[in-house]
Amino acid sequence: MVKIKEVARRRPANPYLPRPVEILAIKDETPDVRTYTLRLRDGAPFTFMPGQFNMVSVLGVGEAPISFSSNPESREALDRGIFQHTIRAVGNVTKALARLQAGEQFWVRGPYGTGWPRDLARRDLTIIAGGIGLAPLRPVILQKLEEKGGRLEILYGARTPGDMIFRDEFPDWEARGARLLLTVDRVPEGENWPHRVGLVTNWLQEMEVRPEQGSVFICGPEIMMKYVVRGLTERNWRPQRIFVSLERRMECGIKICGRCQIDSEYVCQDGPVFSHAVVKDLLGTDL
């Protein structure tokens, strides 16, 4: 029997060849973010690792790198090859996707890139995300809730409560043991918001996972990640226990175009997940 990790690392025979996927369902997360539940049109198995991404394309429009947002070890994934992408409509490709409906199709090639370190995810773990940066971390969250191993705390910030994705899943995550710390930049007048207002870095002092116990996975705007990493470093977190996703620097997926290259590393193939120790050496700074 082929192990899941081995399957996840497989590449299509032709890395340039997109495959059609059927949209099984669409869920509106926010006014401009949707989660697409997908399956290859030919019904073939499709496996991946949390943190990897697909190149998603709409014929006649273009192609864009999109991270996975579902659990690769769920029964639907293993038995039916179902996976999810959570996508914000901000460019030509993603806006074209936003016009599609369930039953229609688009194209993918992948999976590409590295994943979040699975061995560290099984221990005590803090996840820190901003905005749609929670999407590539959701597979880690869902796996960890299933495995019930190690402590899980999630620090999540967005512009407003209405900009938070997967908000309807938060009660279930908390009921299954996750500690959820939420914050927003502002609260619209008249809306009830029982959590914090301010930067996600304000939650760092409330973290229960300690530097000697676990790891931190981070995804969001790079300016947010920069200050989060700085705050963690001040709290004695070692660079080898801090991991970030540079998914906003992903390009073609197969390091042909070279636009994702940073020094000797290609974000598309060597990343997008890197330890802070590696990122610091590559960029000569926090981020």
Side-chain angles (χ1 to χ4, degrees), residues 196-230:
R196 286 195 176 178
V197 176
L199 301 175
V200 73
T201 48
N202 294 338
W203 278 121
L204 297 182
Q205 60 188 0
E206 312 261 348
M207 286 173 58
E208 292 183 350
V209 174
R210 298 302 175 197
E212 63 277 11
Q213 297 173 323
S215 301
V216 183
F217 295 175
I218 311 166
C219 190
E222 290 199 4
I223 187 66
M224 180 214 84
M225 294 198 292
K226 174 179 180 176
Y227 284 99
V228 167
V229 167
R230 184 173 297 178

PDB file of all heavy atoms in Angstrom, residues 196-230:
ATOM      1  N   ARG A 196     -11.406  40.703  21.005  1.00  0.00           N
ATOM      2  CA  ARG A 196     -10.570  41.896  21.065  1.00  0.00           C
ATOM      3  C   ARG A 196     -10.637  42.739  19.786  1.00  0.00           C
ATOM      4  O   ARG A 196     -11.019  42.257  18.729  1.00  0.00           O
ATOM      5  CB  ARG A 196      -9.113  41.496  21.311  1.00  0.00           C
ATOM      6  CG  ARG A 196      -8.859  41.059  22.731  1.00  0.00           C
ATOM      7  CD  ARG A 196      -7.374  41.031  23.030  1.00  0.00           C
ATOM      8  NE  ARG A 196      -7.152  40.704  24.437  1.00  0.00           N
ATOM      9  CZ  ARG A 196      -5.968  40.571  24.991  1.00  0.00           C
ATOM     10  NH1 ARG A 196      -4.863  40.747  24.259  1.00  0.00           N
ATOM     11  NH2 ARG A 196      -5.839  40.279  26.270  1.00  0.00           N
ATOM     12  N   VAL A 197     -10.207  43.991  19.939  1.00  0.00           N
ATOM     13  CA  VAL A 197      -9.988  44.884  18.805  1.00  0.00           C
ATOM     14  C   VAL A 197      -8.528  45.322  18.868  1.00  0.00           C
ATOM     15  O   VAL A 197      -8.050  45.805  19.904  1.00  0.00           O
ATOM     16  CB  VAL A 197     -10.919  46.108  18.862  1.00  0.00           C
ATOM     17  CG1 VAL A 197     -10.590  47.075  17.718  1.00  0.00           C
ATOM     18  CG2 VAL A 197     -12.386  45.677  18.795  1.00  0.00           C
ATOM     19  N   GLY A 198      -7.811  45.129  17.760  1.00  0.00           N
ATOM     20  CA  GLY A 198      -6.396  45.491  17.726  1.00  0.00           C
ATOM     21  C   GLY A 198      -5.603  44.477  16.927  1.00  0.00           C
ATOM     22  O   GLY A 198      -6.164  43.602  16.265  1.00  0.00           O
ATOM     23  N   LEU A 199      -4.309  44.599  16.984  1.00  0.00           N
ATOM     24  CA  LEU A 199      -3.430  43.730  16.204  1.00  0.00           C
ATOM     25  C   LEU A 199      -3.337  42.327  16.820  1.00  0.00           C
ATOM     26  O   LEU A 199      -3.441  42.169  18.045  1.00  0.00           O
ATOM     27  CB  LEU A 199      -2.026  44.338  16.127  1.00  0.00           C
ATOM     28  CG  LEU A 199      -1.941  45.729  15.492  1.00  0.00           C
ATOM     29  CD1 LEU A 199      -0.515  46.261  15.584  1.00  0.00           C
ATOM     30  CD2 LEU A 199      -2.415  45.702  14.047  1.00  0.00           C
ATOM     31  N   VAL A 200      -3.096  41.343  15.963  1.00  0.00           N
ATOM     32  CA  VAL A 200      -2.987  39.962  16.448  1.00  0.00           C
ATOM     33  C   VAL A 200      -1.763  39.809  17.357  1.00  0.00           C
ATOM     34  O   VAL A 200      -1.732  38.927  18.224  1.00  0.00           O
ATOM     35  CB  VAL A 200      -2.943  38.985  15.257  1.00  0.00           C
ATOM     36  CG1 VAL A 200      -1.604  39.053  14.524  1.00  0.00           C
ATOM     37  CG2 VAL A 200      -3.254  37.572  15.702  1.00  0.00           C
ATOM     38  N   THR A 201      -0.779  40.674  17.186  1.00  0.00           N
ATOM     39  CA  THR A 201       0.411  40.614  18.049  1.00  0.00           C
ATOM     40  C   THR A 201       0.056  40.883  19.513  1.00  0.00           C
ATOM     41  O   THR A 201       0.809  40.477  20.410  1.00  0.00           O
ATOM     42  CB  THR A 201       1.472  41.624  17.586  1.00  0.00           C
ATOM     43  OG1 THR A 201       0.844  42.901  17.385  1.00  0.00           O
ATOM     44  CG2 THR A 201       2.132  41.183  16.291  1.00  0.00           C
ATOM     45  N   ASN A 202      -1.076  41.537  19.744  1.00  0.00           N
ATOM     46  CA  ASN A 202      -1.478  41.804  21.127  1.00  0.00           C
ATOM     47  C   ASN A 202      -1.808  40.524  21.894  1.00  0.00           C
ATOM     48  O   ASN A 202      -1.868  40.529  23.124  1.00  0.00           O
ATOM     49  CB  ASN A 202      -2.691  42.745  21.156  1.00  0.00           C
ATOM     50  CG  ASN A 202      -2.354  44.127  20.625  1.00  0.00           C
ATOM     51  OD1 ASN A 202      -1.185  44.519  20.618  1.00  0.00           O
ATOM     52  ND2 ASN A 202      -3.359  44.857  20.170  1.00  0.00           N
ATOM     53  N   TRP A 203      -2.060  39.428  21.134  1.00  0.00           N
ATOM     54  CA  TRP A 203      -2.382  38.167  21.788  1.00  0.00           C
ATOM     55  C   TRP A 203      -1.135  37.382  22.188  1.00  0.00           C
ATOM     56  O   TRP A 203      -1.237  36.379  22.898  1.00  0.00           O
ATOM     57  CB  TRP A 203      -3.232  37.281  20.865  1.00  0.00           C
ATOM     58  CG  TRP A 203      -4.704  37.576  20.842  1.00  0.00           C
ATOM     59  CD1 TRP A 203      -5.453  37.933  19.767  1.00  0.00           C
ATOM     60  CD2 TRP A 203      -5.627  37.506  21.937  1.00  0.00           C
ATOM     61  NE1 TRP A 203      -6.773  38.100  20.111  1.00  0.00           N
ATOM     62  CE2 TRP A 203      -6.900  37.840  21.438  1.00  0.00           C
ATOM     63  CE3 TRP A 203      -5.497  37.194  23.303  1.00  0.00           C
ATOM     64  CZ2 TRP A 203      -8.035  37.868  22.247  1.00  0.00           C
ATOM     65  CZ3 TRP A 203      -6.636  37.225  24.107  1.00  0.00           C
ATOM     66  CH2 TRP A 203      -7.873  37.567  23.581  1.00  0.00           C
ATOM     67  N   LEU A 204       0.049  37.786  21.695  1.00  0.00           N
ATOM     68  CA  LEU A 204       1.247  36.970  21.930  1.00  0.00           C
ATOM     69  C   LEU A 204       1.519  36.753  23.418  1.00  0.00           C
ATOM     70  O   LEU A 204       1.966  35.677  23.825  1.00  0.00           O
ATOM     71  CB  LEU A 204       2.472  37.618  21.263  1.00  0.00           C
ATOM     72  CG  LEU A 204       2.429  37.732  19.735  1.00  0.00           C
ATOM     73  CD1 LEU A 204       3.726  38.350  19.217  1.00  0.00           C
ATOM     74  CD2 LEU A 204       2.188  36.383  19.086  1.00  0.00           C
ATOM     75  N   GLN A 205       1.270  37.786  24.215  1.00  0.00           N
ATOM     76  CA  GLN A 205       1.544  37.655  25.639  1.00  0.00           C
ATOM     77  C   GLN A 205       0.580  36.703  26.339  1.00  0.00           C
ATOM     78  O   GLN A 205       0.810  36.308  27.486  1.00  0.00           O
ATOM     79  CB  GLN A 205       1.472  39.033  26.315  1.00  0.00           C
ATOM     80  CG  GLN A 205       0.125  39.709  26.190  1.00  0.00           C
ATOM     81  CD  GLN A 205       0.171  41.135  26.708  1.00  0.00           C
ATOM     82  OE1 GLN A 205       1.212  41.605  27.153  1.00  0.00           O
ATOM     83  NE2 GLN A 205      -0.951  41.832  26.650  1.00  0.00           N
ATOM     84  N   GLU A 206      -0.509  36.319  25.640  1.00  0.00           N
ATOM     85  CA  GLU A 206      -1.489  35.395  26.224  1.00  0.00           C
ATOM     86  C   GLU A 206      -1.256  33.943  25.786  1.00  0.00           C
ATOM     87  O   GLU A 206      -2.015  33.062  26.140  1.00  0.00           O
ATOM     88  CB  GLU A 206      -2.901  35.827  25.812  1.00  0.00           C
ATOM     89  CG  GLU A 206      -3.185  37.290  26.004  1.00  0.00           C
ATOM     90  CD  GLU A 206      -3.941  37.588  27.274  1.00  0.00           C
ATOM     91  OE1 GLU A 206      -4.426  36.624  27.883  1.00  0.00           O
ATOM     92  OE2 GLU A 206      -4.038  38.772  27.639  1.00  0.00           O
ATOM     93  N   MET A 207      -0.230  33.717  24.977  1.00  0.00           N
ATOM     94  CA  MET A 207       0.008  32.354  24.485  1.00  0.00           C
ATOM     95  C   MET A 207       0.302  31.406  25.642  1.00  0.00           C
ATOM     96  O   MET A 207       1.060  31.734  26.556  1.00  0.00           O
ATOM     97  CB  MET A 207       1.191  32.350  23.511  1.00  0.00           C
ATOM     98  CG  MET A 207       0.888  32.929  22.153  1.00  0.00           C
ATOM     99  SD  MET A 207       2.367  33.089  21.095  1.00  0.00           S
ATOM    100  CE  MET A 207       2.944  31.403  21.032  1.00  0.00           C
ATOM    101  N   GLU A 208      -0.292  30.214  25.574  1.00  0.00           N
ATOM    102  CA  GLU A 208      -0.040  29.202  26.600  1.00  0.00           C
ATOM    103  C   GLU A 208       1.034  28.218  26.170  1.00  0.00           C
ATOM    104  O   GLU A 208       1.695  27.606  27.005  1.00  0.00           O
ATOM    105  CB  GLU A 208      -1.342  28.460  26.937  1.00  0.00           C
ATOM    106  CG  GLU A 208      -2.374  29.352  27.637  1.00  0.00           C
ATOM    107  CD  GLU A 208      -3.621  28.603  28.036  1.00  0.00           C
ATOM    108  OE1 GLU A 208      -3.767  27.432  27.601  1.00  0.00           O
ATOM    109  OE2 GLU A 208      -4.449  29.179  28.754  1.00  0.00           O
ATOM    110  N   VAL A 209       1.192  28.025  24.848  1.00  0.00           N
ATOM    111  CA  VAL A 209       2.275  27.174  24.355  1.00  0.00           C
ATOM    112  C   VAL A 209       3.584  27.918  24.548  1.00  0.00           C
ATOM    113  O   VAL A 209       3.733  29.060  24.112  1.00  0.00           O
ATOM    114  CB  VAL A 209       2.066  26.820  22.867  1.00  0.00           C
ATOM    115  CG1 VAL A 209       3.268  26.056  22.323  1.00  0.00           C
ATOM    116  CG2 VAL A 209       0.798  25.988  22.700  1.00  0.00           C
ATOM    117  N   ARG A 210       4.525  27.274  25.191  1.00  0.00           N
ATOM    118  CA  ARG A 210       5.801  27.914  25.537  1.00  0.00           C
ATOM    119  C   ARG A 210       6.896  27.526  24.553  1.00  0.00           C
ATOM    120  O   ARG A 210       6.814  26.467  23.907  1.00  0.00           O
ATOM    121  CB  ARG A 210       6.208  27.518  26.963  1.00  0.00           C
ATOM    122  CG  ARG A 210       5.215  27.968  28.006  1.00  0.00           C
ATOM    123  CD  ARG A 210       5.036  29.470  27.960  1.00  0.00           C
ATOM    124  NE  ARG A 210       4.004  29.945  28.863  1.00  0.00           N
ATOM    125  CZ  ARG A 210       3.442  31.146  28.781  1.00  0.00           C
ATOM    126  NH1 ARG A 210       3.814  31.970  27.814  1.00  0.00           N
ATOM    127  NH2 ARG A 210       2.515  31.500  29.640  1.00  0.00           N
ATOM    128  N   PRO A 211       7.937  28.349  24.424  1.00  0.00           N
ATOM    129  CA  PRO A 211       9.005  28.080  23.449  1.00  0.00           C
ATOM    130  C   PRO A 211       9.645  26.713  23.607  1.00  0.00           C
ATOM    131  O   PRO A 211      10.035  26.089  22.615  1.00  0.00           O
ATOM    132  CB  PRO A 211      10.020  29.196  23.735  1.00  0.00           C
ATOM    133  CG  PRO A 211       9.220  30.297  24.326  1.00  0.00           C
ATOM    134  CD  PRO A 211       8.134  29.630  25.125  1.00  0.00           C
ATOM    135  N   GLU A 212       9.742  26.230  24.818  1.00  0.00           N
ATOM    136  CA  GLU A 212      10.391  24.937  25.015  1.00  0.00           C
ATOM    137  C   GLU A 212       9.440  23.773  24.767  1.00  0.00           C
ATOM    138  O   GLU A 212       9.858  22.609  24.775  1.00  0.00           O
ATOM    139  CB  GLU A 212      10.947  24.841  26.439  1.00  0.00           C
ATOM    140  CG  GLU A 212       9.923  24.886  27.552  1.00  0.00           C
ATOM    141  CD  GLU A 212       9.485  26.293  27.949  1.00  0.00           C
ATOM    142  OE1 GLU A 212       9.821  27.261  27.234  1.00  0.00           O
ATOM    143  OE2 GLU A 212       8.797  26.396  28.977  1.00  0.00           O
ATOM    144  N   GLN A 213       8.145  24.078  24.510  1.00  0.00           N
ATOM    145  CA  GLN A 213       7.145  23.023  24.377  1.00  0.00           C
ATOM    146  C   GLN A 213       6.743  22.716  22.940  1.00  0.00           C
ATOM    147  O   GLN A 213       6.452  21.575  22.608  1.00  0.00           O
ATOM    148  CB  GLN A 213       5.864  23.412  25.132  1.00  0.00           C
ATOM    149  CG  GLN A 213       6.047  23.577  26.621  1.00  0.00           C
ATOM    150  CD  GLN A 213       4.788  24.129  27.268  1.00  0.00           C
ATOM    151  OE1 GLN A 213       4.102  24.967  26.678  1.00  0.00           O
ATOM    152  NE2 GLN A 213       4.486  23.651  28.462  1.00  0.00           N
ATOM    153  N   GLY A 214       6.640  23.743  22.107  1.00  0.00           N
ATOM    154  CA  GLY A 214       6.003  23.518  20.818  1.00  0.00           C
ATOM    155  C   GLY A 214       6.550  24.353  19.689  1.00  0.00           C
ATOM    156  O   GLY A 214       7.705  24.790  19.723  1.00  0.00           O
ATOM    157  N   SER A 215       5.695  24.564  18.690  1.00  0.00           N
ATOM    158  CA  SER A 215       6.076  25.306  17.501  1.00  0.00           C
ATOM    159  C   SER A 215       4.982  26.298  17.149  1.00  0.00           C
ATOM    160  O   SER A 215       3.865  26.236  17.670  1.00  0.00           O
ATOM    161  CB  SER A 215       6.296  24.349  16.321  1.00  0.00           C
ATOM    162  OG  SER A 215       7.298  23.405  16.624  1.00  0.00           O
ATOM    163  N   VAL A 216       5.321  27.218  16.244  1.00  0.00           N
ATOM    164  CA  VAL A 216       4.372  28.222  15.786  1.00  0.00           C
ATOM    165  C   VAL A 216       4.340  28.210  14.257  1.00  0.00           C
ATOM    166  O   VAL A 216       5.391  28.265  13.613  1.00  0.00           O
ATOM    167  CB  VAL A 216       4.754  29.632  16.265  1.00  0.00           C
ATOM    168  CG1 VAL A 216       3.692  30.646  15.830  1.00  0.00           C
ATOM    169  CG2 VAL A 216       4.926  29.670  17.778  1.00  0.00           C
ATOM    170  N   PHE A 217       3.132  28.105  13.676  1.00  0.00           N
ATOM    171  CA  PHE A 217       2.945  28.188  12.230  1.00  0.00           C
ATOM    172  C   PHE A 217       2.222  29.509  11.947  1.00  0.00           C
ATOM    173  O   PHE A 217       1.193  29.799  12.574  1.00  0.00           O
ATOM    174  CB  PHE A 217       2.088  27.034  11.705  1.00  0.00           C
ATOM    175  CG  PHE A 217       2.706  25.665  11.856  1.00  0.00           C
ATOM    176  CD1 PHE A 217       1.975  24.533  11.505  1.00  0.00           C
ATOM    177  CD2 PHE A 217       4.004  25.487  12.318  1.00  0.00           C
ATOM    178  CE1 PHE A 217       2.528  23.262  11.620  1.00  0.00           C
ATOM    179  CE2 PHE A 217       4.566  24.220  12.450  1.00  0.00           C
ATOM    180  CZ  PHE A 217       3.815  23.105  12.103  1.00  0.00           C
ATOM    181  N   ILE A 218       2.722  30.277  10.969  1.00  0.00           N
ATOM    182  CA  ILE A 218       2.195  31.615  10.715  1.00  0.00           C
ATOM    183  C   ILE A 218       1.891  31.797   9.232  1.00  0.00           C
ATOM    184  O   ILE A 218       2.690  31.417   8.377  1.00  0.00           O
ATOM    185  CB  ILE A 218       3.214  32.705  11.126  1.00  0.00           C
ATOM    186  CG1 ILE A 218       3.756  32.447  12.525  1.00  0.00           C
ATOM    187  CG2 ILE A 218       2.594  34.085  11.053  1.00  0.00           C
ATOM    188  CD1 ILE A 218       4.987  33.272  12.865  1.00  0.00           C
ATOM    189  N   CYS A 219       0.753  32.419   8.928  1.00  0.00           N
ATOM    190  CA  CYS A 219       0.433  32.795   7.547  1.00  0.00           C
ATOM    191  C   CYS A 219      -0.468  34.025   7.556  1.00  0.00           C
ATOM    192  O   CYS A 219      -1.434  34.101   8.323  1.00  0.00           O
ATOM    193  CB  CYS A 219      -0.256  31.651   6.802  1.00  0.00           C
ATOM    194  SG  CYS A 219      -0.407  31.969   5.032  1.00  0.00           S
ATOM    195  N   GLY A 220      -0.128  34.971   6.693  1.00  0.00           N
ATOM    196  CA  GLY A 220      -0.908  36.199   6.599  1.00  0.00           C
ATOM    197  C   GLY A 220      -0.111  37.227   5.828  1.00  0.00           C
ATOM    198  O   GLY A 220       0.894  36.899   5.190  1.00  0.00           O
ATOM    199  N   PRO A 221      -0.525  38.476   5.877  1.00  0.00           N
ATOM    200  CA  PRO A 221       0.255  39.538   5.231  1.00  0.00           C
ATOM    201  C   PRO A 221       1.679  39.549   5.786  1.00  0.00           C
ATOM    202  O   PRO A 221       1.889  39.335   6.982  1.00  0.00           O
ATOM    203  CB  PRO A 221      -0.508  40.809   5.615  1.00  0.00           C
ATOM    204  CG  PRO A 221      -1.888  40.350   5.942  1.00  0.00           C
ATOM    205  CD  PRO A 221      -1.745  38.981   6.516  1.00  0.00           C
ATOM    206  N   GLU A 222       2.667  39.793   4.915  1.00  0.00           N
ATOM    207  CA  GLU A 222       4.064  39.709   5.368  1.00  0.00           C
ATOM    208  C   GLU A 222       4.386  40.741   6.447  1.00  0.00           C
ATOM    209  O   GLU A 222       5.224  40.488   7.313  1.00  0.00           O
ATOM    210  CB  GLU A 222       5.006  39.835   4.175  1.00  0.00           C
ATOM    211  CG  GLU A 222       4.937  38.596   3.283  1.00  0.00           C
ATOM    212  CD  GLU A 222       6.138  38.434   2.360  1.00  0.00           C
ATOM    213  OE1 GLU A 222       7.083  39.239   2.457  1.00  0.00           O
ATOM    214  OE2 GLU A 222       6.110  37.505   1.546  1.00  0.00           O
ATOM    215  N   ILE A 223       3.721  41.878   6.423  1.00  0.00           N
ATOM    216  CA  ILE A 223       3.978  42.871   7.474  1.00  0.00           C
ATOM    217  C   ILE A 223       3.496  42.335   8.824  1.00  0.00           C
ATOM    218  O   ILE A 223       4.136  42.553   9.865  1.00  0.00           O
ATOM    219  CB  ILE A 223       3.298  44.231   7.140  1.00  0.00           C
ATOM    220  CG1 ILE A 223       3.708  45.292   8.142  1.00  0.00           C
ATOM    221  CG2 ILE A 223       1.782  44.077   7.071  1.00  0.00           C
ATOM    222  CD1 ILE A 223       5.159  45.657   8.089  1.00  0.00           C
ATOM    223  N   MET A 224       2.370  41.593   8.810  1.00  0.00           N
ATOM    224  CA  MET A 224       1.892  40.971  10.049  1.00  0.00           C
ATOM    225  C   MET A 224       2.869  39.909  10.517  1.00  0.00           C
ATOM    226  O   MET A 224       3.237  39.847  11.703  1.00  0.00           O
ATOM    227  CB  MET A 224       0.511  40.338   9.816  1.00  0.00           C
ATOM    228  CG  MET A 224      -0.081  39.658  11.050  1.00  0.00           C
ATOM    229  SD  MET A 224      -1.081  38.189  10.679  1.00  0.00           S
ATOM    230  CE  MET A 224       0.187  36.921  10.562  1.00  0.00           C
ATOM    231  N   MET A 225       3.322  39.060   9.583  1.00  0.00           N
ATOM    232  CA  MET A 225       4.239  37.980   9.965  1.00  0.00           C
ATOM    233  C   MET A 225       5.548  38.553  10.507  1.00  0.00           C
ATOM    234  O   MET A 225       6.136  38.004  11.444  1.00  0.00           O
ATOM    235  CB  MET A 225       4.501  37.066   8.770  1.00  0.00           C
ATOM    236  CG  MET A 225       3.250  36.306   8.309  1.00  0.00           C
ATOM    237  SD  MET A 225       3.619  34.871   7.265  1.00  0.00           S
ATOM    238  CE  MET A 225       4.243  35.668   5.802  1.00  0.00           C
ATOM    239  N   LYS A 226       5.996  39.656   9.930  1.00  0.00           N
ATOM    240  CA  LYS A 226       7.241  40.273  10.395  1.00  0.00           C
ATOM    241  C   LYS A 226       7.146  40.646  11.870  1.00  0.00           C
ATOM    242  O   LYS A 226       8.042  40.330  12.668  1.00  0.00           O
ATOM    243  CB  LYS A 226       7.535  41.520   9.559  1.00  0.00           C
ATOM    244  CG  LYS A 226       8.726  42.326  10.041  1.00  0.00           C
ATOM    245  CD  LYS A 226       8.962  43.523   9.137  1.00  0.00           C
ATOM    246  CE  LYS A 226      10.164  44.326   9.629  1.00  0.00           C
ATOM    247  NZ  LYS A 226      10.464  45.457   8.707  1.00  0.00           N
ATOM    248  N   TYR A 227       6.044  41.307  12.248  1.00  0.00           N
ATOM    249  CA  TYR A 227       5.926  41.747  13.646  1.00  0.00           C
ATOM    250  C   TYR A 227       5.592  40.590  14.582  1.00  0.00           C
ATOM    251  O   TYR A 227       5.967  40.613  15.765  1.00  0.00           O
ATOM    252  CB  TYR A 227       4.902  42.885  13.755  1.00  0.00           C
ATOM    253  CG  TYR A 227       5.491  44.190  13.259  1.00  0.00           C
ATOM    254  CD1 TYR A 227       5.226  44.644  11.977  1.00  0.00           C
ATOM    255  CD2 TYR A 227       6.361  44.930  14.058  1.00  0.00           C
ATOM    256  CE1 TYR A 227       5.800  45.813  11.503  1.00  0.00           C
ATOM    257  CE2 TYR A 227       6.935  46.098  13.600  1.00  0.00           C
ATOM    258  CZ  TYR A 227       6.657  46.538  12.321  1.00  0.00           C
ATOM    259  OH  TYR A 227       7.241  47.701  11.854  1.00  0.00           O
ATOM    260  N   VAL A 228       4.892  39.578  14.069  1.00  0.00           N
ATOM    261  CA  VAL A 228       4.650  38.388  14.894  1.00  0.00           C
ATOM    262  C   VAL A 228       5.969  37.686  15.191  1.00  0.00           C
ATOM    263  O   VAL A 228       6.252  37.310  16.339  1.00  0.00           O
ATOM    264  CB  VAL A 228       3.669  37.428  14.190  1.00  0.00           C
ATOM    265  CG1 VAL A 228       3.669  36.059  14.871  1.00  0.00           C
ATOM    266  CG2 VAL A 228       2.263  38.012  14.198  1.00  0.00           C
ATOM    267  N   VAL A 229       6.794  37.497  14.149  1.00  0.00           N
ATOM    268  CA  VAL A 229       8.094  36.838  14.343  1.00  0.00           C
ATOM    269  C   VAL A 229       8.955  37.647  15.306  1.00  0.00           C
ATOM    270  O   VAL A 229       9.619  37.082  16.194  1.00  0.00           O
ATOM    271  CB  VAL A 229       8.805  36.672  12.984  1.00  0.00           C
ATOM    272  CG1 VAL A 229      10.266  36.282  13.196  1.00  0.00           C
ATOM    273  CG2 VAL A 229       8.097  35.620  12.142  1.00  0.00           C
ATOM    274  N   ARG A 230       8.938  38.949  15.145  1.00  0.00           N
ATOM    275  CA  ARG A 230       9.731  39.792  16.053  1.00  0.00           C
ATOM    276  C   ARG A 230       9.248  39.619  17.503  1.00  0.00           C
ATOM    277  O   ARG A 230      10.063  39.493  18.423  1.00  0.00           O
ATOM    278  CB  ARG A 230       9.611  41.256  15.622  1.00  0.00           C
ATOM    279  CG  ARG A 230      10.459  42.212  16.435  1.00  0.00           C
ATOM    280  CD  ARG A 230      10.410  43.617  15.847  1.00  0.00           C
ATOM    281  NE  ARG A 230      10.964  43.648  14.498  1.00  0.00           N
ATOM    282  CZ  ARG A 230      11.010  44.737  13.736  1.00  0.00           C
ATOM    283  NH1 ARG A 230      10.518  45.880  14.198  1.00  0.00           N
ATOM    284  NH2 ARG A 230      11.544  44.698  12.540  1.00  0.00           N
TER     285      ARG A 230
END
